[in-house]
Amino acid sequence: SDYWPAIAIGIQDALGSGRYAAEYIVASKRYYDFDFTAGLSWGYLGSRGGLGNMFKLFGDGFKTRESDISGGDIRTGSYFAGDEMSFFAGVEYFAPIEGLSLKAEYSGVDTTKISDFSHYERKTAFNFGINYKPTSWADLAIGFEQGDRFSVRLTLKQNLHKLKLNN
């Protein structure tokens, strides 16, 4: 609405092994050419920690996260659980150039605490990026992540419901 932010609750890797499992609560609000986002995250997305898990007030079931779950099982005992949660935030500026936006974020992910990424050096929690959408079906992006890595992304999109195949 004009005055209230959009609110979302999300669960990542709900049916997987739980290796990258995460949950988040996020609020987002557009103000003129800016889109502001802030939230709280648990699990992989909240690995930076820094905040005690507020849900532990509701019972012991929120104190620890399940681990070693085989793929395909629902991790109901892990949602929003664990000792810590993390804050994250971001801002996106929509430039006057059609399709161009600039982004900055404070990430709740700490790669040094995740075994698959522990070899990555983390110099900062801040990430920056530029996104350009030249057409409705393509996005180009470059980013500077965790103070020591550049990234490049090309995304191609297609609505498969509208796809026509010639025989």
Side-chain angles (χ1 to χ4, degrees):
S1 75
D2 290 341
Y3 302 103
W4 292 97
I7 305 289
I9 298 173
I11 298 175
Q12 177 178 298
D13 194 18
L15 295 174
S17 65
R19 179 179 236 157
Y20 299 108
E23 304 81 41
Y24 58 88
I25 300 172
V26 63
S28 183
K29 181 69 179 143
R30 180 105 183 232
Y31 185 74
Y32 293 100
D33 291 333
F34 292 90
D35 194 351
F36 298 95
T37 301
L40 297 171
S41 54
W42 293 258
Y44 169 73
L45 295 175
S47 55
R48 184 168 308 283
L51 301 173
N53 186 351
M54 66 183 173
F55 286 136
K56 289 193 293 186
L57 296 171
F58 299 111
D60 291 342
F62 290 103
K63 288 186 178 180
T64 57
R65 293 181 72 82
E66 292 178 8
S67 60
D68 294 330
I69 300 168
S70 61
D73 292 338
I74 298 176
R75 305 174 298 98
T76 56
S78 293
Y79 297 142
F80 302 96
D83 280 333
E84 303 237 348
M85 63 184 188
S86 184
F87 171 78
F88 65 92
V91 62
E92 182 173 13
Y93 168 67
F94 297 94
I97 299 169
E98 184 68 30
L100 182 68
S101 66
L102 309 174
K103 301 178 180 192
E105 83 167 343
Y106 176 82
S107 176
V109 177
D110 183 353
T111 55
T112 63
K113 294 181 180 177
I114 301 161
S115 60
D116 290 343
F117 301 109
S118 60
H119 60 284
Y120 286 138
E121 191 174 332
R122 174 187 53 90
K123 295 181 178 177
T124 181
F126 292 94
N127 300 314
F128 304 93
I130 300 171
N131 196 76
Y132 181 57
K133 190 174 188 172
T135 70
S136 63
W137 51 268
D139 277 11
L140 299 166
I142 59 170
F144 186 60
E145 300 173 357
Q146 298 192 6
D148 68 347
R149 284 189 307 281
F150 281 97
S151 64
V152 177
R153 184 191 76 218
L154 169 64
T155 305
L156 302 175
K157 305 175 206 175
Q158 175 62 47
N159 183 342
L160 297 177
H161 291 289
K162 295 182 178 181
L163 187 63
K164 303 251 190 249
L165 298 175
N166 295 328
N167 292 334

